Amino acid sequence: VALRAVSESASACFRLAPSVQYNIFLRLLPDVDRAIVSDAHLKALIIEDVRESLRQYGQGMRADLTIFSQPWQIDYSKITSPSVIWQGLEDTIVPTAATFKLGKLIPHCVVEEIPGAGHFWIYENIERVLLRLRKQINARSTVEKHPDQGVS
């Protein structure tokens, strides 16, 4: 009940004054993230994303909070694909300790620490991520085509 009241109140505030709420959000971020999300185009995208998420009066936000507030019933040992998690070390939204714990739970997972980066670093580094994923896919394809050669 309390979660519903808080999410509905936050939803109403955002719908009434999205730019004001966005500016409040900016003040909560570290400088590195604030610099990225201050971009006018990105600001418009984020505001539109939040508007869409609030179309159902905060149900999505409540679902997210519910999911993230309890243990996930996942057997991480069954994840067989090599995995990468990128973590900005200045991230104030996703706790770094949670990322490192998740990385240890997933077999064949590499956690790439990004010094000086926050939560929104991806907006300035999407090419880096896509190149890394392409290399990983290509390496896997090589192993599947030529299993005796391995991957270097």
Side-chain angles (χ1 to χ4, degrees):
V1 173
L3 182 58
R4 181 182 182 125
V6 169
S7 67
E8 287 177 3
S9 174
S11 298
C13 289
F14 189 86
R15 280 193 300 278
L16 289 172
S19 288
V20 171
Q21 295 300 314
Y22 190 82
N23 289 334
I24 291 170
F25 169 68
L26 280 180
R27 282 189 245 142
L28 300 173
L29 296 174
D31 291 341
V32 65
D33 278 332
R34 196 175 308 119
I36 293 170
V37 298
S38 292
D39 173 78
H41 178 70
L42 190 51
K43 176 182 177 180
L45 289 174
I46 292 172
I47 287 175
E48 183 55 35
D49 185 49
V50 173
R51 272 194 183 115
E52 179 60 25
S53 75
L54 298 177
R55 238 176 2 104
Q56 298 297 317
Y57 300 97
Q59 287 177 326
M61 180 175 27
R62 285 194 303 277
D64 284 352
L65 290 172
T66 300
I67 289 168
F68 292 122
S69 67
Q70 55 194 341
W72 296 357
Q73 301 303 314
I74 296 173
D75 183 355
Y76 295 101
S77 67
K78 292 187 177 185
I79 298 173
T80 58
S81 294
S83 305
V84 180
I85 303 174
W86 288 270
Q87 177 66 47
L89 296 181
E90 304 301 318
D91 191 339
T92 58
I93 296 174
V94 175
T96 55
T99 301
F100 296 127
K101 182 178 179 181
L102 181 61
K104 288 180 182 176
L105 292 172
I106 300 172
H108 314 291
C109 182
V110 174
V111 176
E112 286 197 14
E113 300 176 35
I114 308 166
H119 187 75
F120 296 98
W121 70 274
I122 188 73
Y123 289 105
E124 293 183 337
N125 292 278
I126 190 67
E127 288 181 21
R128 170 183 169 185
V129 171
L130 293 175
L131 286 172
R132 170 69 187 268
L133 293 173
R134 178 186 289 162
K135 284 174 68 175
Q136 197 164 323
I137 290 167
N138 289 342
R140 188 172 179 147
S141 295
T142 300
V143 169
E144 290 171 359
K145 289 178 187 174
H146 308 286
D148 55 324
Q149 291 180 6
V151 177
S152 56

